[in-house]
Amino acid sequence: MRRDPNLRTTAFPLDVVERWMQAVIVHPGAVQEALASEEASRELPAGSLEELVKPSATLTAEARVAIYREMYLLRMVEALATDYPVTQYVLGEEAFTALVKDYVQRYPSRSYTLNRLGDRLPQLYLEEPERAGAAFLHDLTSAELALTQAYEEAESEVLTPDAVLAVPAAAWPQARLVPVASLRLLALGHPVLPHMEACRLELPCPKPRRGATWLAVWRKDYTVHRRGLSRAEHHLLQALAGGLSLGQALAETAASLDASDASKRIHAWFRAFVAEGLFSRVELRDRQP
Amino acid sequence: MSENRWGFPDLGLGVGLRSPHFQHILSERPEMGFFEVLTENYLDTEGLPLYVLDQVAERYPVIMHGVSLSIGSSDPLDFNYLAKVKALAARTKARWISDHLCWTGVLGRNTHDLLPIPYTEETLRHVSERIRVVQDVLERPLVLENASTYLEFVPSQMSEWEFIARMAEEADCGLLLDVNNVYVSAFNHTFDAEEYVDAIPGDRVCHIHVAGHTHKGTHILDTHSDHVVDPVWALYGRALRRIGLRSTLLEWDADIPPFEVVHAEVLKARAWRDREAARAA
């Protein structure tokens, strides 16, 4: 990085002071370890603390630096607890704080907003499968991230039953049902809704167990919703979200359903999807020649 | 002295727009001089906060208050961020844009803390130059707040208030005087809070903050989590006496109580403002 020449005229140029202080603040060890760390020593020789930071009437220079270290971690924990309240509830405060400490070492904030800080927490569990409960916690954090993403997404217009009725029957096979922008579809290896509910009601968490789970997360009228799906519902919504026409999506999905009641079930799903606000609009296409 | 040099109006009393109060504000439409919004909470989002902000901006004056400008950082300025700040200001018709005299990170990292700078001639030149660039981009004066600090640098060559006065002059920027921060830093560094307030160029002060804090015995933390203590109100009264009436905001950002409690707290400033108005009349 190019250095501003104005900063080079004192024994403690601003850029050096700032890099040193950041290295000490974000270091995961104890304050003494942070002060003696390689990152801090790259900027200023070990033992420079008293030459740079004044003690106060009540605190040593080290204790004053430690205030910033504590506040940094506290802020990171608060930010991630906002996005991952259920994960914090499941892990408990101590284990969650330890997780945050590790996470911000690997994925420190590089954004002007804290809203993006937690975007890669599910990724951490993929990258470190040896972590306790990693497979379940990957699924849980993925679901919580989807809730956050749905909260942040643009509000979409919602397809109304009247708009559905206005589509000519012959146009449906080629039609494309466009989901609302906030819709997130998840295929997980563990049920997570019971843990979300336990957290909401402040009840003891059930033990994580394996089990294929499909979820939809979306927002309607600025309220985020979530609900479980069957495998076939998930498949159908995934196909529609991927841009397939209704005819193509139904053909793919119907193959996995019992032919005797497939039509009835699919109709019931669509009524529910529309009522719940999962779709934004119907795009009508010309029939293929 | 009664006006700031840009003619920014005295908007009266305001509070921060915080999510626990969204519903109350939209449904009850409380009488309020203005709302201050944390700029970064409304960037890169299309969700409920932005929807509420649009509603609020229709009904109340809005002031934008950022925490990530990092004006004191030795990293390059983030022009992408500045463009978004400018766009949000246009969207909300923000009366002015403020941030803090601090740095928040280097090497591309953001600690999301308001970190202290050494008060040296070099830092003064660096910060002043960056303020001028920011003001050119935003096409309006930048209003900078004195942050609470918990350490002092040995190499500092001047007091914080001297630095701020000179910075404001050299960069031609506005000031947000946070009297709680003055009180907090005065305790932490054993300086005279009144001397600080008296030294701030009043014609550059566009806005005043008051807030609660947490006394830890050996030091005070600027937590915005409690009622304003009497010595901070007294410092507020002194600031009004010196510089005249200014838009006044109560900050309450942690352990946020119901809106009525926050509202009642900021209304305590009214007595100080009435006293100053009577004195000036």
Side-chain angles (χ1 to χ4, degrees):
Chain A
M1 184 189 309
R2 190 178 69 83
R3 285 179 173 172
D4 181 340
N6 287 337
L7 305 181
R8 309 304 303 172
T9 57
T10 72
F12 294 98
L14 181 63
D15 57 343
V16 172
V17 169
E18 290 181 341
R19 286 198 303 273
W20 174 85
M21 188 166 174
Q22 179 169 284
V24 174
I25 288 173
V26 304
H27 191 279
V31 64
Q32 292 89 350
E33 291 172 321
L35 290 166
S37 67
E38 189 187 329
E39 295 84 355
S41 301
R42 255 202 308 268
E43 305 303 336
L44 292 172
S48 300
L49 175 66
E50 277 76 18
E51 291 174 49
L52 183 61
V53 176
K54 287 184 190 175
S56 74
T58 51
L59 294 173
T60 62
E62 184 180 297
R64 302 184 98 183
V65 171
I67 294 172
Y68 284 99
R69 286 170 44 82
E70 287 162 19
M71 291 198 305
Y72 169 68
L73 182 59
L74 190 65
R75 186 164 283 107
M76 296 298 106
V77 170
E78 282 176 356
L80 288 168
T82 301
D83 288 347
Y84 294 98
V86 186
T87 304
Q88 185 188 39
Y89 189 73
V90 168
L91 287 176
E93 288 199 10
E94 196 177 327
F96 186 75
T97 298
L99 169 69
V100 171
K101 221 173 185 179
D102 293 347
Y103 176 71
V104 297
Q105 284 300 310
R106 184 178 283 232
Y107 296 118
S109 175
R110 298 192 178 279
S111 170
Y112 41 79
T113 170
L114 277 166
N115 293 346
R116 301 275 67 78
L117 178 66
D119 284 358
R120 293 200 267 189
L121 191 56
Q123 181 71 17
L124 182 78
Y125 282 112
L126 280 185
E127 291 168 354
E128 298 184 6
E130 68 280 6
R131 282 183 174 274
F136 166 70
L137 289 167
H138 168 263
D139 287 352
L140 179 60
T141 52
S142 296
E144 292 204 274
L145 178 60
L147 291 167
T148 301
Q149 290 173 338
Y151 181 76
E152 299 279 349
E153 265 293 357
E155 185 77 353
S156 303
E157 60 175 314
V158 175
L159 183 66
T160 62
D162 285 349
V164 172
L165 291 173
V167 176
W172 276 114
Q174 308 300 329
R176 186 173 164 241
L177 273 163
V178 180
V180 291
S182 60
L183 180 67
R184 300 290 185 276
L185 298 167
L186 296 108
L188 307 173
H190 302 78
V192 295
L193 291 179
H195 299 80
M196 292 183 165
E197 203 54 13
C199 175
R200 190 177 71 82
L201 300 171
E202 297 185 16
L203 295 171
C205 277
K207 280 196 170 177
R209 63 176 177 83
R210 290 200 62 79
T213 300
W214 298 272
L215 294 180
V217 172
W218 74 102
R219 198 183 74 219
K220 184 183 177 190
D221 296 333
Y222 294 100
T223 300
V224 176
H225 301 272
R226 60 179 185 249
R227 77 145 157 117
L229 300 170
S230 67
R231 182 200 294 264
E233 285 175 302
H234 179 269
H235 190 94
L236 178 59
L237 287 170
Q238 193 80 284
L240 292 170
L244 292 187
S245 69
L246 184 61
Q248 290 169 317
L250 286 174
E252 281 202 359
T253 307
S256 66
L257 294 175
D258 179 351
S260 64
D261 67 347
S263 172
K264 197 172 155 189
R265 286 173 67 185
I266 288 171
H267 270 100
W269 294 347
F270 272 107
R271 272 198 302 277
F273 294 159
V274 170
E276 289 169 325
L278 268 60
F279 297 118
S280 176
R281 62 186 187 279
V282 179
E283 283 182 357
L284 298 178
R285 296 175 182 174
D286 292 335
R287 290 182 181 207
Q288 299 297 313
Chain B
M1 197 178 299
S2 60
E3 283 201 346
N4 60 76
R5 63 175 56 205
W6 296 278
F8 289 148
D10 169 23
L11 299 171
L13 303 177
V15 297
L17 181 62
R18 301 292 178 263
S19 55
H21 300 151
F22 282 172
Q23 185 57 44
H24 179 93
I25 292 165
L26 292 187
S27 61
E28 303 301 318
R29 302 188 182 198
E31 192 178 327
M32 192 61 65
F34 65 97
F35 280 96
E36 186 187 79
V37 300
L38 278 177
T39 305
E40 291 76 9
N41 287 357
Y42 301 91
L43 303 180
D44 299 341
T45 180
E46 297 287 336
L48 180 65
L50 194 60
Y51 167 76
V52 173
L53 175 55
D54 284 340
Q55 305 296 307
V56 167
E58 289 278 317
R59 299 171 194 167
Y60 301 93
V62 165
I63 296 170
M64 282 167 53
H65 188 50
V67 290
S68 285
L69 175 60
S70 202
I71 198 72
S73 173
S74 47
D75 265 10
L77 284 165
D78 182 345
F79 289 96
N80 173 51
Y81 164 76
L82 288 174
K84 291 182 178 184
V85 171
K86 188 177 182 180
L88 185 67
R91 178 177 181 140
T92 60
K93 299 182 177 63
R95 302 304 175 96
W96 56 86
I97 299 172
S98 63
D99 205 292
H100 300 82
L101 174 58
C102 69
W103 62 287
T104 63
V106 285
L107 304 173
R109 187 164 180 158
N110 192 346
T111 68
H112 299 278
D113 200 356
L114 309 175
L115 301 170
I117 51 174
Y119 300 120
T120 63
E121 295 291 341
E122 288 76 13
T123 311
L124 182 61
R125 280 197 295 274
H126 177 69
V127 169
S128 299
E129 173 59 26
R130 283 162 66 93
I131 294 171
R132 283 192 291 269
V133 172
V134 169
Q135 293 182 143
D136 283 349
V137 173
L138 296 179
E139 299 182 288
R140 57 168 83 200
L142 177 65
V143 177
L144 281 180
E145 174 184 344
N146 55 299
S148 290
T149 56
Y150 310 107
L151 64 75
E152 296 170 289
F153 291 106
V154 176
S156 285
Q157 296 165 319
M158 63 194 91
S159 67
E160 183 174 311
W161 54 95
E162 285 175 293
F163 185 96
I164 287 175
R166 287 185 58 191
M167 173 198 77
E169 188 62 30
E170 289 184 24
D172 194 19
C173 69
L175 297 174
L176 192 174
L177 178 62
D178 188 317
V179 289
N180 177 61
N181 290 353
V182 173
Y183 181 83
V184 167
S185 295
F187 180 89
N188 291 341
H189 310 318
T190 333
F191 64 66
D192 183 343
E194 293 184 349
E195 183 185 354
Y196 187 122
V197 168
D198 292 350
I200 295 297
D203 66 329
R204 292 190 176 276
V205 176
C206 308
H207 188 178
I208 297 179
H209 276 180
V210 292
H213 55 243
T214 303
H215 206 307
K216 307 290 279 187
T218 53
H219 59 285
I220 300 178
L221 291 176
D222 178 30
T223 49
H224 301 176
S225 61
D226 210 335
H227 296 270
V228 181
V229 299
D230 287 345
V232 170
W233 282 124
L235 212 50
Y236 173 66
R238 186 181 186 93
L240 291 185
R241 205 155 52 245
R242 267 209 68 250
I243 66 178
L245 298 182
R246 291 292 187 275
S247 306
T248 298
L249 177 101
L250 171 77
E251 295 183 294
W252 202 318
D253 298 317
D255 304 327
I256 299 176
F259 185 84
E260 292 86 348
V261 177
V262 176
H263 196 178
E265 189 68 13
V266 74
L267 290 179
K268 292 179 186 172
R270 189 177 279 166
W272 294 95
R273 287 171 55 88
D274 290 347
R275 196 176 308 168
E276 175 53 26
R279 192 193 65 79

